[in-house]
Amino acid sequence: MKTKELTKQVRDKVVEKYEAGLGYKKISRALNISLSTIKSIIRKWKEYGTTANLPRGGRPPKLKSRTRRKLIREATRRPMVTLEELQRSTAEVGESVHRTTISRLLHKSGLYGRVARRKPLLKGIHKKSRLEFARSHVGDTANMWKKVLWSDETKIELFGLNAKRYVWRKPNTAHHPEHTIPTVKHGGGSIMLWGCFSSAGTGKLVRIEGKMDGAKYREILEENLMQSAKDLRLGRRFIFQQDNDPKHTARATKEWFGLKNVNVLKWPSQSPDLNPIENLWQDLKIAVHRQSPSNLTELHLFCQEEWTNLSISRCAKLGALSDAVDRTVPGAYTKRSRGVTEKRAELLSEGLFNTLLLSDRGHLGSV
């Protein structure tokens, strides 16, 4: 029968009596401890110089080292493999373990389950185009990017913000009305918006009525583009950014830009993640849905209010982030700094622009 472990104070008394010259038998009788235990305590003290508990080996692992290496290798090679699949693979070799055992193993090796980020599907031609875009702007200054007027369209649904909300609740009250977020089919209706901004702040925000075609797009530009540039004091030589939607690149639209002497930024295809206005759209949607609009009229009204409330500092930060395409260590372009820039261009071509931007701000460390 296993006895209770002796406290450290009792073990220290054994050593004290031993140092005082008492023999094993006398110590055993004085403290009412078995002779074998006395011998074990003193032997450990002589060998390690302490009576404290030493680190123990613990329970032997249920998985063999070869199987552990195989699981880590499989998770590294196939990042989207599930715990169930890994569990079945261990069962096939006769080592059945629980999923939490596999999860702990992967955690120890530095692998954690995370939600996969969504990014545009890039083909070879897209990567090449993005790389050329990055290389063509390697020497651009921060002042150049401050003259860019970023634009885009977005759809905002009445009840369609897919954001997690946390509530304080007691067990078994998850479905109480005050603990749930109401949903309706197709988001309860939506509105389409066109907007623009620069480092100096937000420009016009326009609700798109009806079908958005080339004629409608040129009408929006006619009524809002030049006025936005004027309000933001971008000067006559500002640069307008738009994506490569067919109505944006139509011949009539290009002719309109020519008549108005608008310099249009050449934009790589399949690159919505490069446009910092996407960050503003997310800010806008979060702010609008905090007000809980009940109909499309209120939704549009709240959009206009929150758009004008977006801070200039936020716009300046997003506008400045765009020059991270080519920004390296301040100063002259050395051989090393050109290498860093080239690496950043390659990251951009692979669709990792957001990672590159965050690393420039010190959020992710070195890329």
mmCIF file of all heavy atoms in Angstrom, residues 225-252:
data_model
loop_
_atom_site.group_PDB
_atom_site.id
_atom_site.type_symbol
_atom_site.label_atom_id
_atom_site.label_comp_id
_atom_site.label_asym_id
_atom_site.label_seq_id
_atom_site.Cartn_x
_atom_site.Cartn_y
_atom_site.Cartn_z
ATOM 1 N N LEU A 225 -16.090 63.129 -58.439
ATOM 2 C CA LEU A 225 -14.640 62.925 -58.437
ATOM 3 C C LEU A 225 -13.877 64.234 -58.264
ATOM 4 O O LEU A 225 -13.076 64.387 -57.330
ATOM 5 C CB LEU A 225 -14.207 62.216 -59.723
ATOM 6 C CG LEU A 225 -12.699 61.997 -59.872
ATOM 7 C CD1 LEU A 225 -12.153 61.203 -58.695
ATOM 8 C CD2 LEU A 225 -12.387 61.289 -61.184
ATOM 9 N N MET A 226 -14.111 65.182 -59.157
ATOM 10 C CA MET A 226 -13.348 66.427 -59.114
ATOM 11 C C MET A 226 -13.653 67.217 -57.838
ATOM 12 O O MET A 226 -12.756 67.846 -57.260
ATOM 13 C CB MET A 226 -13.665 67.278 -60.350
ATOM 14 C CG MET A 226 -13.431 66.543 -61.669
ATOM 15 S SD MET A 226 -11.778 65.821 -61.815
ATOM 16 C CE MET A 226 -10.775 67.279 -61.948
ATOM 17 N N GLN A 227 -14.904 67.140 -57.381
ATOM 18 C CA GLN A 227 -15.275 67.848 -56.161
ATOM 19 C C GLN A 227 -14.561 67.252 -54.951
ATOM 20 O O GLN A 227 -14.117 67.976 -54.050
ATOM 21 C CB GLN A 227 -16.787 67.798 -55.955
ATOM 22 C CG GLN A 227 -17.288 68.646 -54.793
ATOM 23 C CD GLN A 227 -16.971 70.124 -54.967
ATOM 24 O OE1 GLN A 227 -17.190 70.696 -56.038
ATOM 25 N NE2 GLN A 227 -16.439 70.745 -53.915
ATOM 26 N N SER A 228 -14.441 65.912 -54.921
ATOM 27 C CA SER A 228 -13.733 65.251 -53.817
ATOM 28 C C SER A 228 -12.273 65.664 -53.795
ATOM 29 O O SER A 228 -11.704 65.966 -52.736
ATOM 30 C CB SER A 228 -13.851 63.733 -53.934
ATOM 31 O OG SER A 228 -15.182 63.304 -53.759
ATOM 32 N N ALA A 229 -11.649 65.677 -54.980
ATOM 33 C CA ALA A 229 -10.241 66.082 -55.062
ATOM 34 C C ALA A 229 -10.057 67.531 -54.611
ATOM 35 O O ALA A 229 -9.075 67.881 -53.956
ATOM 36 C CB ALA A 229 -9.733 65.893 -56.486
ATOM 37 N N LYS A 230 -11.033 68.383 -54.961
ATOM 38 C CA LYS A 230 -10.970 69.780 -54.562
ATOM 39 C C LYS A 230 -11.139 69.929 -53.052
ATOM 40 O O LYS A 230 -10.397 70.669 -52.400
ATOM 41 C CB LYS A 230 -12.054 70.575 -55.294
ATOM 42 C CG LYS A 230 -12.048 72.064 -54.972
ATOM 43 C CD LYS A 230 -13.140 72.788 -55.743
ATOM 44 C CE LYS A 230 -13.158 74.284 -55.392
ATOM 45 N NZ LYS A 230 -14.239 74.995 -56.135
ATOM 46 N N ASP A 231 -12.126 69.209 -52.483
ATOM 47 C CA ASP A 231 -12.375 69.297 -51.039
ATOM 48 C C ASP A 231 -11.173 68.809 -50.233
ATOM 49 O O ASP A 231 -10.889 69.326 -49.142
ATOM 50 C CB ASP A 231 -13.609 68.469 -50.669
ATOM 51 C CG ASP A 231 -14.888 69.044 -51.257
ATOM 52 O OD1 ASP A 231 -14.870 70.225 -51.650
ATOM 53 O OD2 ASP A 231 -15.895 68.307 -51.333
ATOM 54 N N LEU A 232 -10.479 67.798 -50.761
ATOM 55 C CA LEU A 232 -9.326 67.228 -50.053
ATOM 56 C C LEU A 232 -8.024 67.961 -50.387
ATOM 57 O O LEU A 232 -6.958 67.563 -49.906
ATOM 58 C CB LEU A 232 -9.194 65.739 -50.402
ATOM 59 C CG LEU A 232 -10.359 64.863 -49.930
ATOM 60 C CD1 LEU A 232 -10.226 63.449 -50.504
ATOM 61 C CD2 LEU A 232 -10.417 64.806 -48.413
ATOM 62 N N ARG A 233 -8.117 68.979 -51.261
ATOM 63 C CA ARG A 233 -6.973 69.814 -51.631
ATOM 64 C C ARG A 233 -5.818 68.981 -52.185
ATOM 65 O O ARG A 233 -4.663 69.126 -51.782
ATOM 66 C CB ARG A 233 -6.491 70.629 -50.425
ATOM 67 C CG ARG A 233 -7.557 71.574 -49.888
ATOM 68 C CD ARG A 233 -7.052 72.379 -48.714
ATOM 69 N NE ARG A 233 -8.079 73.298 -48.218
ATOM 70 C CZ ARG A 233 -7.911 74.142 -47.211
ATOM 71 N NH1 ARG A 233 -6.731 74.182 -46.583
ATOM 72 N NH2 ARG A 233 -8.885 74.926 -46.818
ATOM 73 N N LEU A 234 -6.160 68.120 -53.123
ATOM 74 C CA LEU A 234 -5.142 67.257 -53.731
ATOM 75 C C LEU A 234 -4.437 67.933 -54.900
ATOM 76 O O LEU A 234 -3.424 67.416 -55.385
ATOM 77 C CB LEU A 234 -5.792 65.949 -54.217
ATOM 78 C CG LEU A 234 -6.430 65.070 -53.135
ATOM 79 C CD1 LEU A 234 -7.000 63.799 -53.757
ATOM 80 C CD2 LEU A 234 -5.419 64.719 -52.047
ATOM 81 N N GLY A 235 -4.977 69.047 -55.369
ATOM 82 C CA GLY A 235 -4.362 69.730 -56.506
ATOM 83 C C GLY A 235 -4.816 69.124 -57.825
ATOM 84 O O GLY A 235 -5.481 68.085 -57.879
ATOM 85 N N ARG A 236 -4.449 69.773 -58.903
ATOM 86 C CA ARG A 236 -4.886 69.315 -60.225
ATOM 87 C C ARG A 236 -4.176 68.047 -60.680
ATOM 88 O O ARG A 236 -4.690 67.315 -61.517
ATOM 89 C CB ARG A 236 -4.648 70.425 -61.252
ATOM 90 C CG ARG A 236 -5.512 71.653 -61.035
ATOM 91 C CD ARG A 236 -5.272 72.679 -62.133
ATOM 92 N NE ARG A 236 -6.122 73.855 -61.955
ATOM 93 C CZ ARG A 236 -6.117 74.898 -62.784
ATOM 94 N NH1 ARG A 236 -5.294 74.890 -63.852
ATOM 95 N NH2 ARG A 236 -6.909 75.934 -62.554
ATOM 96 N N ARG A 237 -3.015 67.785 -60.124
ATOM 97 C CA ARG A 237 -2.222 66.635 -60.593
ATOM 98 C C ARG A 237 -2.378 65.440 -59.642
ATOM 99 O O ARG A 237 -1.445 64.680 -59.439
ATOM 100 C CB ARG A 237 -0.759 67.044 -60.725
ATOM 101 C CG ARG A 237 -0.543 68.210 -61.666
ATOM 102 C CD ARG A 237 0.934 68.498 -61.871
ATOM 103 N NE ARG A 237 1.608 67.427 -62.553
ATOM 104 C CZ ARG A 237 2.894 67.413 -62.858
ATOM 105 N NH1 ARG A 237 3.653 68.454 -62.524
ATOM 106 N NH2 ARG A 237 3.439 66.391 -63.474
ATOM 107 N N PHE A 238 -3.559 65.274 -59.092
ATOM 108 C CA PHE A 238 -3.792 64.125 -58.222
ATOM 109 C C PHE A 238 -3.872 62.850 -59.063
ATOM 110 O O PHE A 238 -4.032 62.890 -60.294
ATOM 111 C CB PHE A 238 -5.081 64.319 -57.406
ATOM 112 C CG PHE A 238 -6.344 64.185 -58.192
ATOM 113 C CD1 PHE A 238 -6.999 62.956 -58.284
ATOM 114 C CD2 PHE A 238 -6.907 65.278 -58.841
ATOM 115 C CE1 PHE A 238 -8.172 62.827 -58.993
ATOM 116 C CE2 PHE A 238 -8.072 65.156 -59.556
ATOM 117 C CZ PHE A 238 -8.710 63.926 -59.640
ATOM 118 N N ILE A 239 -3.750 61.728 -58.390
ATOM 119 C CA ILE A 239 -3.779 60.412 -59.058
ATOM 120 C C ILE A 239 -5.024 59.672 -58.589
ATOM 121 O O ILE A 239 -5.269 59.546 -57.385
ATOM 122 C CB ILE A 239 -2.521 59.595 -58.720
ATOM 123 C CG1 ILE A 239 -1.266 60.372 -59.116
ATOM 124 C CG2 ILE A 239 -2.558 58.237 -59.408
ATOM 125 C CD1 ILE A 239 0.020 59.759 -58.596
ATOM 126 N N PHE A 240 -5.808 59.196 -59.539
ATOM 127 C CA PHE A 240 -7.049 58.496 -59.205
ATOM 128 C C PHE A 240 -6.835 56.988 -59.308
ATOM 129 O O PHE A 240 -6.293 56.487 -60.280
ATOM 130 C CB PHE A 240 -8.174 58.918 -60.153
ATOM 131 C CG PHE A 240 -9.479 58.249 -59.870
ATOM 132 C CD1 PHE A 240 -10.124 58.431 -58.655
ATOM 133 C CD2 PHE A 240 -10.070 57.433 -60.825
ATOM 134 C CE1 PHE A 240 -11.348 57.818 -58.395
ATOM 135 C CE2 PHE A 240 -11.282 56.807 -60.567
ATOM 136 C CZ PHE A 240 -11.926 56.999 -59.357
ATOM 137 N N GLN A 241 -7.259 56.282 -58.257
ATOM 138 C CA GLN A 241 -7.142 54.819 -58.237
ATOM 139 C C GLN A 241 -8.519 54.180 -58.373
ATOM 140 O O GLN A 241 -9.479 54.596 -57.720
ATOM 141 C CB GLN A 241 -6.484 54.354 -56.929
ATOM 142 C CG GLN A 241 -6.292 52.848 -56.814
ATOM 143 C CD GLN A 241 -7.536 52.110 -56.325
ATOM 144 O OE1 GLN A 241 -8.377 52.702 -55.655
ATOM 145 N NE2 GLN A 241 -7.664 50.843 -56.686
ATOM 146 N N GLN A 242 -8.603 53.182 -59.222
ATOM 147 C CA GLN A 242 -9.799 52.365 -59.373
ATOM 148 C C GLN A 242 -9.365 50.966 -59.772
ATOM 149 O O GLN A 242 -8.242 50.758 -60.247
ATOM 150 C CB GLN A 242 -10.727 52.953 -60.442
ATOM 151 C CG GLN A 242 -10.085 53.027 -61.823
ATOM 152 C CD GLN A 242 -11.028 53.525 -62.904
ATOM 153 O OE1 GLN A 242 -12.153 53.876 -62.647
ATOM 154 N NE2 GLN A 242 -10.550 53.548 -64.139
ATOM 155 N N ASP A 243 -10.239 49.976 -59.563
ATOM 156 C CA ASP A 243 -9.873 48.623 -59.960
ATOM 157 C C ASP A 243 -10.177 48.423 -61.446
ATOM 158 O O ASP A 243 -10.567 49.364 -62.153
ATOM 159 C CB ASP A 243 -10.580 47.577 -59.086
ATOM 160 C CG ASP A 243 -12.096 47.682 -59.163
ATOM 161 O OD1 ASP A 243 -12.617 48.093 -60.220
ATOM 162 O OD2 ASP A 243 -12.772 47.350 -58.165
ATOM 163 N N ASN A 244 -10.002 47.207 -61.928
ATOM 164 C CA ASN A 244 -10.128 46.939 -63.367
ATOM 165 C C ASN A 244 -11.486 46.366 -63.753
ATOM 166 O O ASN A 244 -11.594 45.550 -64.660
ATOM 167 C CB ASN A 244 -9.018 45.968 -63.798
ATOM 168 C CG ASN A 244 -7.649 46.599 -63.694
ATOM 169 O OD1 ASN A 244 -7.448 47.731 -64.105
ATOM 170 N ND2 ASN A 244 -6.701 45.877 -63.109
ATOM 171 N N ASP A 245 -12.521 46.787 -63.032
ATOM 172 C CA ASP A 245 -13.880 46.401 -63.412
ATOM 173 C C ASP A 245 -14.143 46.878 -64.848
ATOM 174 O O ASP A 245 -13.701 47.962 -65.240
ATOM 175 C CB ASP A 245 -14.868 47.035 -62.434
ATOM 176 C CG ASP A 245 -16.285 46.551 -62.656
ATOM 177 O OD1 ASP A 245 -16.931 47.030 -63.612
ATOM 178 O OD2 ASP A 245 -16.751 45.689 -61.881
ATOM 179 N N PRO A 246 -14.865 46.089 -65.670
ATOM 180 C CA PRO A 246 -15.091 46.480 -67.077
ATOM 181 C C PRO A 246 -15.677 47.881 -67.245
ATOM 182 O O PRO A 246 -15.307 48.593 -68.194
ATOM 183 C CB PRO A 246 -16.068 45.409 -67.571
ATOM 184 C CG PRO A 246 -15.749 44.201 -66.748
ATOM 185 C CD PRO A 246 -15.382 44.739 -65.390
ATOM 186 N N LYS A 247 -16.576 48.298 -66.359
ATOM 187 C CA LYS A 247 -17.150 49.634 -66.521
ATOM 188 C C LYS A 247 -16.133 50.725 -66.193
ATOM 189 O O LYS A 247 -16.278 51.869 -66.629
ATOM 190 C CB LYS A 247 -18.391 49.789 -65.650
ATOM 191 C CG LYS A 247 -18.198 49.506 -64.177
ATOM 192 C CD LYS A 247 -19.520 49.624 -63.431
ATOM 193 C CE LYS A 247 -19.422 49.086 -62.002
ATOM 194 N NZ LYS A 247 -19.314 47.612 -61.980
ATOM 195 N N HIS A 248 -15.093 50.367 -65.420
ATOM 196 C CA HIS A 248 -14.036 51.326 -65.103
ATOM 197 C C HIS A 248 -13.054 51.481 -66.255
ATOM 198 O O HIS A 248 -12.438 52.544 -66.406
ATOM 199 C CB HIS A 248 -13.266 50.884 -63.858
ATOM 200 C CG HIS A 248 -14.108 50.801 -62.622
ATOM 201 N ND1 HIS A 248 -13.631 50.282 -61.441
ATOM 202 C CD2 HIS A 248 -15.390 51.167 -62.384
ATOM 203 C CE1 HIS A 248 -14.592 50.326 -60.525
ATOM 204 N NE2 HIS A 248 -15.666 50.860 -61.073
ATOM 205 N N THR A 249 -12.883 50.412 -67.008
ATOM 206 C CA THR A 249 -11.890 50.420 -68.091
ATOM 207 C C THR A 249 -12.518 50.519 -69.470
ATOM 208 O O THR A 249 -11.834 50.321 -70.479
ATOM 209 C CB THR A 249 -11.031 49.143 -68.006
ATOM 210 O OG1 THR A 249 -11.891 47.988 -68.084
ATOM 211 C CG2 THR A 249 -10.248 49.099 -66.697
ATOM 212 N N ALA A 250 -13.812 50.808 -69.513
ATOM 213 C CA ALA A 250 -14.490 50.949 -70.806
ATOM 214 C C ALA A 250 -13.905 52.120 -71.599
ATOM 215 O O ALA A 250 -13.351 53.068 -71.031
ATOM 216 C CB ALA A 250 -15.987 51.151 -70.584
ATOM 217 N N ARG A 251 -14.029 52.054 -72.918
ATOM 218 C CA ARG A 251 -13.449 53.097 -73.774
ATOM 219 C C ARG A 251 -14.041 54.467 -73.431
ATOM 220 O O ARG A 251 -13.303 55.466 -73.352
ATOM 221 C CB ARG A 251 -13.707 52.766 -75.241
ATOM 222 C CG ARG A 251 -13.151 53.819 -76.199
ATOM 223 C CD ARG A 251 -13.463 53.498 -77.645
ATOM 224 N NE ARG A 251 -12.862 52.232 -78.038
ATOM 225 C CZ ARG A 251 -13.027 51.680 -79.243
ATOM 226 N NH1 ARG A 251 -13.796 52.296 -80.131
ATOM 227 N NH2 ARG A 251 -12.438 50.546 -79.528
ATOM 228 N N ALA A 252 -15.347 54.517 -73.224
ATOM 229 C CA ALA A 252 -15.987 55.802 -72.919
ATOM 230 C C ALA A 252 -15.475 56.371 -71.597
ATOM 231 O O ALA A 252 -15.302 57.589 -71.461
ATOM 232 C CB ALA A 252 -17.506 55.620 -72.857
#
